[in-house]
Amino acid sequence: MTTLITGATGKTGQRVAHRLQTLDHDVRGVTRHSTPRFDWHDRTTWAGAVDGCESAYLTFQPDLGLPGADEIIGAFAAQAVAAGCTRLVLLSGRGEDGAQRAEQAMTASGAEWTILRSAFFMQNFTEGAFADELAAGSLTMVEHTVAEPFVDADDIAEVAVATLLDKGYVGRVLELTGPQLLTFEEAARAVGGPGVAYLSMPTEDYITVLTEAGLPAADAAGLAYLFEEVLDGRNAYVTQDVETVLGRAARSIDGLAGGEQS
C-alpha cells in the first residue's frame, strides 16, 4: 500500500513519512516542488499525486480554516476516492468553523476517513511561524487571555500513523492536545527562556505585522482573525485522545524546551 503525504516537508508531514518508511511502508511525499508536483490550488497536479496510492495523510496550507478550503478539500477527496485512494486522514483544527466545513466536505466524498483536530503545535516555537522571532528573544501575538493545550508534532505524527494503519479508527474524530494548558506567553518563555519579551496587540495591528513579515494580505487577515476566533476560550481544555491511541501520556512542552524530541 502506498500512502500519499501532502505537505511532505511540513512539521507533521515529514514526521509521518519518516515513521511510515521506518515501518517499511511505501510513501509518496508531495509538495509544490516534488516530483510529482502537488499544489492544493492547482487541480492539474492532483491526479499524478494520488495515482497508485491507497491512503493519504492530508495537511492543507496555509490553514484549513481559511475561506475556500472546504471546496478544495471536497473536490480533492472526491477525486482521490474515484482514483482508489480511499483511506484519508485529515489534519484539522480545533474549534474552527471553516475547518469543520472542510471536514464535512471530506466525509461527504465516500472516503474511509479519520479527522485529527489538533491544538497549536509546540513546534511553532522552534520550526514554524514563531521560530525566528522567538530565537531573537521576543514573540508577538493577537490579544487574548486564554490558555492553549499545545501539542507535540511528534505525537500528532504517531497518532496519524496509527490511524492510517488501523481501520478501527475509520469514521472517528480525534482531538489531539498536550497534557497542560499554557498561555502563549508562558509557552514562549518555556521554550525561549524567561527573558523572552512578549507583546500582544489588537487583531488589525497583528495583520500589519504579518504582512510586513511577507505574508500575503489575504492570508495575513485570515490567520489573524482565525487566531482571534479560536483563542476565545473554546479550546481551553485538555483531551486524552493522544494517550488513548498511543498508550502513553502526551509529551509536554518541557521536553521540547530541553531538546528531547524523537
Side-chain angles (χ1 to χ4, degrees), residues 68-112:
D70 56 334
E71 296 178 7
I72 295 172
I73 289 291
F76 175 83
Q79 183 170 328
V81 169
C85 185
T86 57
R87 180 74 182 99
L88 304 180
V89 174
L90 176 68
L91 182 65
S92 186
R94 300 170 73 228
E96 299 179 17
D97 293 339
Q100 291 179 18
R101 289 191 292 271
E103 295 171 6
Q104 292 163 6
M106 185 187 73
T107 61
S109 68
E112 297 177 343

Side-chain angles (χ1 to χ4, degrees), residues 14 69 91 99 125 143 154 173 184 187 205 236 254:
Q14 63 178 319
L91 182 65
F125 297 106
E143 282 181 342
D154 286 302
V173 177
F184 269 80
D205 294 337
D254 297 331

Side-chain angles (χ1 to χ4, degrees), residues 7-55:
T9 58
K11 285 185 286 297
T12 64
Q14 63 178 319
R15 287 170 163 86
V16 171
H18 172 72
R19 282 166 172 77
L20 287 172
Q21 289 166 338
T22 299
L23 295 170
D24 292 327
H25 288 270
D26 290 332
V27 170
R28 179 179 298 155
V30 293
T31 69
R32 287 178 296 176
H33 307 291
S34 64
T35 302
R37 178 175 171 269
F38 179 79
D39 187 337
W40 283 112
H41 302 281
D42 182 356
R43 299 191 184 197
T44 66
T45 67
W46 295 359
V50 300
D51 182 44
C53 294
E54 298 178 22
S55 62

